[in-house]
């Protein structure tokens, strides 16, 4: 099945109630796994050290009041009613907000941006109105577009949020599984429990990461039932505890109890906020995973099921603790102490499954965001495996998976308690939310064209709440909060060094590209022998001739009959429709047989394997040749070197275009008929000969020159295809600062040598790849 077609069928979300409710049910297992796990460790982390549970119950009531209003204001009000509306063509997350800003204010730092990209369907600014010339937002937009420093600050801000999400991918599995396993403490002595808890948690974590390469679609159907069972379980237990122990616990929902709590506990109460904020761990997933569901389905699931279940669970725990003050040790404030003893073991089993589901969701989200970073030029190329041909977004990255596992095990073994894990996780969570608040305030002004006063109110109200929690988390720096800072700093350095090196390398390519006049001076033969075959030259340039080509022409006695300059680029949209995938044009006159093909992908797009990509590439060139019968026409764009480029779709999306068919025939007779052109292609390393046909539509009729050009393209295809890539050695030029020398000569060079090549060339036989070494002085 063509995954691209699946993506665009699923992107149009049916508005029927049956579909919405089905999506709401499915979102439980993907979106709310992490958020639903928080009752396991919120009270335990909050009462770990800073405050004590007393006979007056002011502490427990104050914590419950903080939990209730935090859940109400942040996930419910901020995310459900405001942030979810800021989707990027149905996609959400930190990069979605940054992508929106890049398109509306031109603040992106992607190097090879073209005017033709703005004609993409998903690039269009739907529903926006022109800004008033006197609008303050227009001045803000102008300032951002003219100040490179502010653009870099915006990029760093987005990268910090992304790095914290990756850090959360390390911390969430550790604290979720460890907290779930901590239920064993009530069935054995504390000495025995200390030697059992960590090994059991580590075994579960190893098992969890070892299963990643199978893909979540194999067990994904269990996720939603597990989360639904867990939510019903904790809400029923909460209701039982409320009715049985303290029916008046609802009074603690009043904000007055927050004031009393802070008045009594003072500094200790402020520091305990780092544990309270864990109740909103996983809220960002509602926005980050928006692309798999619809806004309405996520809103319904949270508002009518997740939110009331969590409130009942926290109220139930508070009701139980309000009547139990004789605490033998701090771990007796945990979740399991409030569970009736008769059902404690079944609840423990469900909790462990729930922890695994919650961890799975954040791991998958980490894979997804690293893929987005790589697509936007902010992370080295890594191996990305699509584990499902039907479900978009189910990916597996081996290197990242094993790094996450080792870091997770190190956190679990090193900390051995939920207190420090909670401090670390809390800082990561609240930092991501602060970044979202900052970016969201810019979206309100630049994308929604609302009053800047409204944006100030938004950032002041929600920013104040989050800053309070952030300060309480940051004060725990030495007690675990240093972990997400250290992890984020490492990932941030990697991302920024890679982005900076990539940008400088592209600038060098632009400055050293070959003039079209040089090419015209060589003539159609390029001054060398043209042999049968296709030379596919990989370049980052979207216009002009790369220096690597002149290097070949001046040093080799022969070159390929057909040459294609291929640029695989990312654009700041989540998806590029298959019918808009390629931009195809000529480099020089027709008789030169030089073509340029730009393959455009969104930051969430699926890259086809080399066989499918090669087929689409050849078909796009053939379709361009067929349609390029006049000097100008619709669908063509003008570029700097006066070449014409046409928008060509993939072969699967263009039913009326040229198609390439393969037949398992061993006939040595190749024929040419009115509606098809046939050649034989030898597939290496197979010995079986396959007959490949370009099937040309009957109308419009193509002229003789285009038919001859198509015949020559197929003959070249029969001769084979060589992938020519530059093996670059990037060095800082003389006179550069010592910081730049360290970044380029050591940092970027190390990342480049240990990263993957272009996606389409991963499976190409080594005999078909030709690498040319070049030194870049940037």
């Amino acid at each position: 099945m063509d995954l691209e077609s699946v993506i665009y069928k699923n992107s149009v979300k049916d508005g029927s109630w049956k579909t919405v409710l089905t999506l709401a049910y499915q979102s439980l297992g993907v979106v709310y796994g992490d958020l639903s796990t928080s009752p396991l460790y919120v009270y335990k982390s909050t009462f770990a050290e800073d405050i004590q549970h007393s006979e007056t119950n002011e502490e427990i009531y104050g914590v419950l009041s903080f939990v209730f209003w935090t859940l109400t204001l942040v996930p419910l009000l901020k995310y459900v009613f405001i942030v979810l509306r800021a989707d990027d063509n149905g996609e959400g997350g930190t990069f979605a907000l940054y992508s929106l800003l890049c398109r509306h204010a031109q603040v992106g730092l992607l190097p090879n941006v073209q005017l033709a990209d703005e004609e993409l369907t998903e690039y269009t600014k739907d529903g926006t109105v022109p800004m008033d010339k006197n609008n303050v937002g227009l001045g803000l937009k102008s300032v951002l577009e003219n100040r490179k420093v502010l653009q870099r600050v915006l990029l760093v801000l987005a990268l910090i949020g992304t790095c914290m999400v990756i850090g959360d991918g390390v911390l969430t599995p550790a604290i979720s599984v460890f907290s779930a396993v901590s239920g064993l403490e009530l069935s054995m002595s504390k000495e025995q429990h200390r030697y059992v808890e960590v090994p059991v948690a580590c075994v579960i974590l190893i098992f969890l990461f070892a299963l990643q390469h199978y893909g979540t679609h194999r067990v994904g159907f269990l996720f939603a039932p597990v989360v639904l069972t867990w939510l019903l379980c904790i809400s029923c237990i909460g209701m039982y505890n409320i009715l049985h122990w303290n029916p008046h616990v609802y009074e603690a929902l009043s904000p007055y109890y927050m004031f009393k709590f802070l008045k009594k506990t003072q500094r200790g109460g402020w520091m305990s906020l780092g544990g309270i904020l864990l109740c909103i761990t996983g809220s960002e997933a509602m926005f980050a995973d928006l692309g798999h569901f619809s806004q309405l389905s996520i809103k319904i699931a949270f508002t009518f099921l997740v939110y009331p279940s969590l409130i009942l669970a926290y109220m139930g725990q508070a009701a139980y603790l309000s009547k139990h003050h004789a605490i033998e040790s701090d771990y007796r404030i945990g979740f399991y102490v409030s569970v009736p003893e008769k059902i404690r073991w079944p609840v423990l089993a469900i909790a462990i499954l729930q922890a695994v589901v919650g961890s799975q969701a954040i791991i998958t989200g980490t894979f997804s965001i690293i893929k987005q970073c790589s697509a936007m030029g902010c992370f080295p190329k890594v191996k990305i495996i699509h584990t499902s041909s039907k479900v978009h977004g189910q990916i597996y990255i081996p290197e990242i998976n094993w790094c996450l596992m080792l870091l997770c095990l190190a956190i679990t073994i090193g900390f051995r308690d939920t207190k420090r894990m909670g401090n670390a996780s809390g800082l990561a969570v609240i930092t991501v939310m602060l970044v979202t608040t900052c970016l969201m305030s810019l979206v309100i002004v630049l994308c929604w064209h609302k009053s800047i006063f409204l944006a100030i109110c938004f950032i002041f109200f929600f920013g104040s709440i989050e800053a309070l929690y952030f300060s309480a988390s940051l004060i725990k720096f030495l007690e675990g909060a240093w972990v997400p800072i250290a992890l984020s700093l490492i990932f941030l350095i990697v991302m920024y060094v890679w982005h900076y090196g990539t940008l400088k390398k592209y600038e060098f390519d632009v400055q050293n590209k070959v003039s079209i006049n040089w090419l015209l001076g060589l003539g159609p033969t390029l001054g060398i022998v043209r042999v049968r075959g296709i030379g596919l030259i990989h370049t980052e340039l979207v216009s002009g001739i790369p220096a690597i080509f002149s290097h070949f022409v001046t040093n080799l006695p022969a070159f390929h009959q057909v040459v294609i300059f291929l640029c695989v680029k990312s654009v700041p949209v989540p998806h590029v429709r298959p019918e808009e995938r390629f931009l195809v044009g000529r480099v020089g006159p027709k008789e030169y047989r030089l073509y340029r093909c730009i393959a455009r992908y969104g930051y969430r797009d699926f890259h086809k394997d080399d066989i499918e990509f090669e087929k689409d590439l050849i078909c796009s060139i053939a379709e361009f040749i067929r349609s390029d019968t006049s000097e100008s026409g619709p669908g063509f764009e003008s570029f700097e070197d006066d070449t014409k480029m046409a928008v060509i779709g993939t072969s699967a999306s263009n039913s009326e275009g040229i198609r390439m068919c393969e037949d398992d025939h061993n006939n040595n007779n190749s024929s040419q008929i009115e509606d098809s052109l046939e050649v034989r292609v030898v597939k290496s390393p197979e010995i079986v000969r396959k007959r490949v046909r370009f099937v040309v539509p009957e109308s419009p009729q193509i002229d003789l020159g285009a038919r001859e050009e198509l015949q020559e393209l197929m003959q070249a295809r029969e001769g084979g295809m060589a992938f020519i890539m530059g093996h670059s050695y990037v060095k800082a030029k003389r006179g550069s600062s010592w910081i730049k020398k360290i970044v380029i000569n050591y940092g970027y060079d190390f990342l480049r040598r240990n990263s993957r090549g272009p996606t389409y060339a991963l499976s190409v036989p080594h005999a078909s790849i030709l690498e040319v070494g070049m030194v870049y002085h940037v």
Side-chain angles (χ1 to χ4, degrees):
M1 178 180 291
D2 185 7
L3 185 56
E4 282 191 323
S5 62
V6 173
I7 294 171
Y8 292 98
K9 287 178 183 177
N10 292 340
S11 63
V12 182
K13 300 182 175 72
D14 190 359
S16 68
W17 278 105
K18 181 180 179 181
T19 303
V20 170
L21 293 177
T22 301
L23 288 173
Y25 170 74
Q26 293 174 347
S27 70
L28 294 176
V30 177
V31 177
Y32 299 109
D34 186 14
L35 182 61
S36 303
T37 313
S38 56
L40 287 171
Y41 44 78
V42 169
Y43 283 116
K44 188 173 183 178
S45 298
T46 304
F47 287 92
E49 186 178 85
D50 302 309
I51 57 176
Q52 300 296 326
H53 182 33
S54 66
E55 296 284 345
T56 62
N57 287 328
E58 289 184 353
E59 292 84 3
I60 192 65
Y61 287 165
V63 170
L64 174 60
S65 185
F66 264 105
V67 167
F68 172 76
W69 287 106
T70 303
L71 278 171
T72 302
L73 294 177
V74 179
L76 186 63
L77 181 59
K78 176 187 170 183
Y79 280 95
V80 170
F81 291 107
I82 301 176
V83 176
L84 284 181
R85 295 177 54 207
D87 65 297
D88 181 14
N89 292 284
E91 298 290 341
T94 303
F95 261 95
L97 294 176
Y98 182 68
S99 174
L100 281 174
L101 294 172
C102 287
R103 300 207 303 274
H104 286 76
Q106 303 297 325
V107 295
L109 294 175
L110 284 175
N112 49 5
V113 178
Q114 298 172 275
L115 290 176
D117 297 338
E118 298 185 13
E119 301 299 323
L120 291 169
T121 302
E122 295 200 6
Y123 201 103
T124 307
K125 308 169 183 63
D126 298 326
T128 60
V129 293
M131 280 189 180
D132 184 5
K133 292 184 178 180
N134 297 323
N135 193 341
V136 179
L138 190 61
L140 177 62
K141 176 183 176 183
S142 177
V143 170
L144 286 174
E145 290 179 345
N146 296 325
R147 301 289 178 88
K148 286 289 184 183
V149 174
L150 294 180
Q151 294 177 17
R152 292 192 182 96
V153 169
L154 196 62
L155 174 65
V156 170
L157 187 65
L159 291 181
I160 288 174
T162 302
C163 291
M164 283 295 181
V165 171
I166 298 173
D168 197 28
V170 174
L171 296 164
T172 292
I175 189 173
S176 297
V177 173
F178 192 85
S179 299
V181 173
S182 66
L184 297 171
E185 66 192 2
L186 299 179
S187 60
M188 61 182 67
S189 65
K190 193 170 184 179
E191 289 72 19
Q192 293 176 325
H193 173 255
R194 184 171 54 186
Y195 295 107
V196 172
E197 188 177 34
V198 174
V200 171
C202 289
V203 168
I204 294 175
L205 287 172
I206 293 173
F207 177 75
L208 173 64
F209 284 99
L211 289 178
Q212 293 302 311
H213 72 281
Y214 291 108
T216 57
H217 67 285
R218 299 183 186 273
V219 290
F221 67 94
L222 291 175
F223 285 4
V226 168
V227 177
L228 179 60
T229 303
W230 170 252
L231 289 172
L232 294 176
C233 177
I234 61 175
S235 58
C236 289
I237 293 172
M239 183 66 72
Y240 167 79
N241 285 329
I242 293 171
L243 297 176
H244 187 265
W245 295 110
N246 189 354
H248 298 286
V249 73
Y250 68 89
E251 296 175 358
L253 303 182
S254 170
Y256 172 68
Y257 283 90
M258 291 192 291
F259 171 74
K260 288 183 66 176
F261 171 76
L262 292 177
K263 183 179 179 180
K264 179 180 180 180
T265 58
Q266 297 182 357
R267 188 175 187 273
W270 167 63
M271 294 180 67
S272 69
L273 294 179
I276 295 174
L277 77 87
L278 295 177
C279 70
I280 53 175
T281 300
S283 299
E284 187 74 19
M286 286 192 288
F287 186 46
D289 293 326
L290 181 60
H292 302 297
F293 306 97
S294 64
Q295 288 187 28
L296 185 58
S297 63
I298 290 179
K299 290 178 180 179
I300 288 174
F302 182 79
T303 307
F304 295 102
L305 180 60
V306 179
Y307 176 74
S309 297
L310 291 175
I311 296 300
L312 285 174
Y314 289 117
M315 288 178 65
Q317 289 186 63
Y320 177 87
L321 292 173
S322 67
K323 299 299 181 181
H324 296 79
H325 304 93
I327 302 173
E328 299 174 8
S329 58
D330 62 336
Y331 69 85
R332 290 286 179 178
I333 296 188
F335 167 78
Y336 291 101
V337 73
S338 64
V339 178
E341 191 171 350
K342 292 182 180 179
I343 61 171
R344 196 166 286 166
W345 282 104
V347 171
L348 174 64
I350 298 173
I352 292 176
L353 288 176
Q354 168 65 24
V356 170
V357 171
S359 302
Q360 177 62 59
I362 192 67
I363 293 169
T364 303
T366 303
F367 292 158
S368 178
I369 203 164
I370 287 177
K371 176 182 179 293
Q372 294 176 36
C373 291
S374 181
M376 298 290 280
C378 295
F379 199 85
K381 301 293 183 183
V382 291
K383 183 178 182 180
I384 298 175
I385 300 172
H386 290 263
T387 58
S388 174
S389 61
K390 298 181 180 179
V391 182
H392 172 59
Q394 298 294 342
I395 61 174
Y396 169 67
I397 306 178
E399 299 96 329
I400 301 299
N401 181 66
W402 301 123
C403 286
L404 289 179
M405 187 190 76
L406 293 176
L407 290 171
C408 240
L409 293 175
I411 295 295
T412 304
I413 297 171
F415 283 168
R416 295 172 175 258
D417 64 77
T418 55
K419 173 193 167 186
R420 286 181 290 179
M421 290 183 192
N423 293 337
S425 180
L427 183 62
V429 169
I430 202 64
T431 304
V432 176
M433 291 184 175
L434 270 172
V435 170
T436 300
T437 299
C438 295
L439 295 178
M440 189 67 203
S441 62
L442 292 175
V443 168
I444 290 174
V445 177
L446 300 176
C447 304
W448 292 355
H449 300 168
K450 301 296 182 182
S451 168
I452 195 169
F453 176 75
L454 188 63
I456 292 174
C457 290
F458 177 85
I459 196 171
F460 179 78
F461 181 75
F462 292 107
S464 299
I465 297 171
E466 291 159 359
L468 178 65
Y469 283 117
F470 180 79
S471 63
S473 297
L474 196 60
I475 202 68
K476 303 287 186 67
F477 180 82
L478 297 177
E479 300 173 36
W482 61 269
V483 172
I485 295 177
L487 290 176
S488 299
L489 184 62
I490 293 171
F491 279 106
L492 182 63
I493 291 173
V494 169
M495 289 181 178
Y496 199 81
V497 166
W498 181 260
H499 178 79
Y500 179 78
T502 303
L503 198 62
K504 290 299 179 183
K505 180 175 176 293
Y506 181 79
E507 291 175 355
F508 181 88
D509 284 335
V510 172
Q511 294 169 1
N512 292 273
K513 65 183 180 181
V514 180
S515 169
I516 190 70
N517 294 327
W518 171 83
L519 182 71
L520 295 175
L522 296 177
T525 63
L526 303 179
I528 54 177
V529 179
R530 303 290 290 272
V531 297
R532 199 165 75 161
I534 296 177
L536 193 65
I537 300 178
H538 177 261
T539 176
E540 300 294 332
L541 296 176
V542 294
S543 64
I545 303 169
I548 184 177
F549 182 68
S550 64
H551 182 75
F552 267 105
V553 171
T554 54
N555 289 278
L556 294 179
F559 209 71
H560 298 87
Q561 173 185 4
V562 174
V563 177
I564 302 173
F565 297 104
L566 174 65
C567 173
V568 181
K569 59 176 283 188
S570 295
V571 290
V573 295
H575 302 290
V576 175
R577 296 177 183 272
E579 58 268 23
E580 300 173 327
R581 174 71 66 217
F582 296 104
L583 281 175
V584 184
R586 299 183 189 278
V587 180
K590 278 188 178 182
E591 57 269 20
Y592 280 58
R593 299 300 189 254
L594 301 178
Y595 306 94
R596 183 185 312 283
C597 184
I598 301 173
R600 302 179 292 182
Y601 289 90
Y603 57 81
R604 278 189 177 270
D605 266 333
F606 164 72
H607 289 233
K608 290 186 175 182
D609 58 32
D610 63 298
I611 298 176
E612 286 295 318
F613 183 84
E614 181 181 319
K615 179 181 176 181
D616 283 341
L617 179 65
I618 299 301
C619 285
S620 68
I621 300 293
E623 179 62 25
F624 169 77
I625 293 172
R626 183 183 73 88
S627 60
D628 187 30
T629 55
S630 59
E631 292 300 319
S632 63
F636 291 90
E637 301 291 340
S638 178
F639 286 82
E640 296 89 339
D641 56 358
D642 296 327
T643 62
K644 295 181 299 182
M645 302 202 76
V647 178
I648 306 292
T650 60
S651 56
S653 68
N654 191 5
S655 58
E656 298 181 356
I658 291 180
R659 292 181 294 110
M660 189 167 69
C661 302
E662 294 183 353
D663 299 325
D664 291 326
H665 292 298
N666 291 324
N667 293 336
N668 292 326
N669 300 324
S670 63
S671 59
Q672 179 174 340
I673 57 178
E674 183 177 352
D675 63 343
S676 67
L677 302 171
E678 302 180 356
V679 297
R680 289 178 291 105
V681 177
V682 179
K683 291 282 186 178
S684 177
E686 298 177 358
I687 302 178
V688 179
R689 293 177 181 270
K690 289 189 176 183
R691 188 173 60 193
V692 177
R693 297 180 295 135
F694 278 160
V695 180
V696 182
E698 295 182 359
S699 62
Q701 294 292 337
I702 58 176
D703 58 23
L704 182 61
R707 189 172 286 271
E708 289 177 355
E709 193 172 356
L710 281 173
Q711 182 70 33
E712 188 172 342
L713 176 64
M714 290 187 297
Q715 290 174 355
R717 176 68 182 82
E718 179 183 2
M721 181 178 290
F723 292 81
I724 303 163
M725 295 182 290
H727 192 75
S728 57
Y729 298 90
V730 183
K731 301 291 182 183
K733 58 186 177 183
R734 288 185 178 180
S736 300
S737 64
W738 64 270
I739 297 179
K740 184 177 180 180
K741 289 180 180 179
I742 292 175
V743 169
I744 296 296
N745 295 350
Y746 299 99
Y748 181 75
D749 184 64
F750 174 80
L751 295 175
R752 181 196 58 78
R753 285 188 284 108
N754 289 277
S755 64
R756 303 254 173 183
T759 305
Y760 64 86
L762 289 178
S763 304
V764 178
H766 291 291
S768 302
I769 297 179
L770 181 60
E771 291 189 345
V772 181
M774 293 190 67
V775 179
Y776 290 72
H777 293 282
V778 298

